[in-house]
Amino acid sequence: MSPRQLNFLSAFSLSVAIAVVYHQAWGIAVAQPILPSEAVETGVISTGISINLFQAFVLGFIQGATEFLPISSTAHLKAVPMALGWGDPGVAFTAVIQLGSIGAVFWYFWEDLTGIAKGIIKAVQTRQYDSLEFKLGLGIGLGTIPIVFFGLLMKLLVQDLDNSFFRSLSTIAIASIVMALLLALAEKLGTHRRPFEKLRWQDGLIMGTAQALALIPGVSRSGSTLTAGLFINLERAAAARFSFLLGIPAITIAGLVELKGLLDKNLSNDAILPLIVGTISSAVFSYLAIAWLIKFLQKRSTWIFVWYRLIFGVVILTALGMGFGT
């Protein structure tokens, strides 16, 4: 990494992290918080904060720009809005606008997805299960089981997820640092030579197990699966490509569950419109992020993300250790 890139990452991480802890310490607010009991009438989505159309667009941008980069969209959807004084948009809003990211994956990988579907049907009809398409489909199916299981378990055991330890700044910082170190280790130890055409169904199970770690904010679904892919010697672009496909069922399920829960509350237009704007914004910027990352990883390594995560996590922990945000 060049000194210019390192300086940029340091400055960006420092500014976001300090803004977050400063806001928490002194309670600076751009949008006035309102009581949870007023949620349905005022457009508040599950967390007791108001989300207007501009904020929804920005949150969609953050979701789209970070969902497929190995830096954790959930962490940034908590940290950046708090830095801006908007408050934490919460799990429900975050999960619903992720449907835009899923739309972008379908948009970008439509030919791959239709090929996988046709390959599975043909394999079942002919009872020949050696095709790449069948292996990919089986891998995606098996790889989705761990995150669904642990996601349901977390939802049952953690009553107030928005305000739990799992969504705290310290958890985000620690997870960011740990995953940065694991990604660096994967870069060092992996050969990065196995192409997409050599994927096996077992790879889906391995990367799917790693995907379950993304239930902890700061880990990053893309980051955990990409790291696992590098550990099993996949090419960087191949690991990213399969990571995107693997995330389709998990993100779709989470988004639809939260969307159903919100619609059951008979939300007003003030609440629904921000969801629509955020989802559309998320879709557009997700598509751009997917295209950029695949092209980037065809020629370059993931070290820029390793340094970003390290700087981001260390700065937040340092600031919290000095008493800010407590």
Side-chain angles (χ1 to χ4, degrees):
M1 179 181 296
S2 68
R4 179 177 296 180
Q5 289 176 317
L6 185 57
N7 289 338
F8 170 77
L9 290 176
S10 300
F12 182 77
S13 300
L14 181 64
S15 61
V16 173
I18 288 179
V20 170
V21 296
Y22 182 80
H23 169 68
Q24 281 203 336
W26 280 281
I28 298 174
V30 174
Q32 293 295 323
I34 49 185
L35 297 175
S37 59
E38 301 176 83
V40 174
E41 292 77 14
T42 56
V44 177
I45 302 176
S46 89
T47 60
I49 66 167
S50 177
I51 299 175
N52 60 42
L53 296 183
F54 173 73
Q55 292 169 338
F57 174 82
V58 173
L59 293 173
F61 163 74
I62 296 169
Q63 161 63 28
T66 60
E67 173 64 38
F68 298 107
L69 301 185
I71 57 177
S72 179
S73 61
T74 306
H76 285 76
L77 278 170
K78 179 180 176 69
V80 176
M82 291 181 68
L84 296 173
W86 299 348
D88 182 359
V91 174
F93 183 85
T94 299
V96 171
I97 66 172
Q98 283 180 335
L99 292 175
S101 296
I102 288 301
V105 175
F106 276 102
W107 183 8
Y108 191 90
F109 291 106
W110 182 250
E111 291 186 6
D112 295 71
L113 292 170
T114 54
I116 290 173
K118 292 177 181 178
I120 292 174
I121 295 173
K122 182 177 180 180
V124 172
Q125 290 176 338
T126 61
R127 296 185 179 182
Q128 296 179 354
Y129 305 108
D130 292 330
S131 68
L132 174 63
E133 291 77 14
F134 181 81
K135 293 176 183 177
L136 290 174
L138 182 59
I140 291 171
L142 293 175
T144 302
I145 295 175
I147 195 170
V148 171
F149 173 78
F150 288 107
L152 289 173
L153 191 63
M154 179 178 287
K155 201 170 184 65
L156 290 174
L157 297 179
V158 183
Q159 298 299 321
D160 188 7
L161 187 58
D162 281 329
N163 299 308
S164 70
F165 172 77
F166 289 103
R167 286 181 62 85
S168 68
L169 287 175
S170 57
T171 297
I172 288 174
I174 293 171
S176 183
I177 293 171
V178 170
M179 290 307 300
L181 297 176
L182 288 176
L183 183 56
L185 194 61
E187 276 287 354
K188 285 290 186 181
L189 299 181
T191 62
H192 320 310
R193 294 179 180 176
R194 189 151 60 97
F196 188 82
E197 292 73 22
K198 297 295 183 179
L199 275 165
R200 308 162 300 183
W201 68 263
Q202 295 93 329
D203 299 325
L205 188 57
I206 293 171
M207 294 175 67
T209 302
Q211 181 177 240
L213 295 173
L215 291 168
I216 303 173
V219 168
S220 168
R221 191 203 62 80
S222 176
S224 60
T225 51
L226 179 59
T227 299
L230 296 183
F231 269 122
I232 56 179
N233 300 319
L234 289 175
E235 293 176 346
R236 296 180 183 90
R241 184 178 171 188
F242 187 64
S243 168
F244 301 153
L245 295 172
L246 179 62
I248 291 177
I251 302 176
T252 302
I253 292 171
L256 291 177
V257 168
E258 296 294 349
L259 179 61
K260 181 181 182 301
L262 291 176
L263 294 179
D264 287 344
K265 297 177 181 179
N266 297 317
L267 297 181
S268 66
N269 289 338
D270 289 338
I272 294 175
L273 284 178
L275 281 173
I276 296 174
V277 170
T279 303
I280 294 174
S281 175
S282 169
V284 173
F285 290 108
S286 290
Y287 184 92
L288 295 176
I290 291 171
W292 177 83
L293 184 62
I294 290 181
K295 185 176 181 179
F296 178 86
L297 292 178
Q298 287 174 347
K299 298 180 179 180
R300 300 184 183 181
S301 71
T302 62
W303 281 104
I304 188 172
F305 304 114
V306 171
W307 285 109
Y308 177 88
R309 297 185 66 117
L310 278 174
I311 295 168
F312 187 73
V314 168
V315 170
I316 290 182
L317 280 183
T318 302
L320 291 175
M322 294 172 62
F324 295 99
T326 58

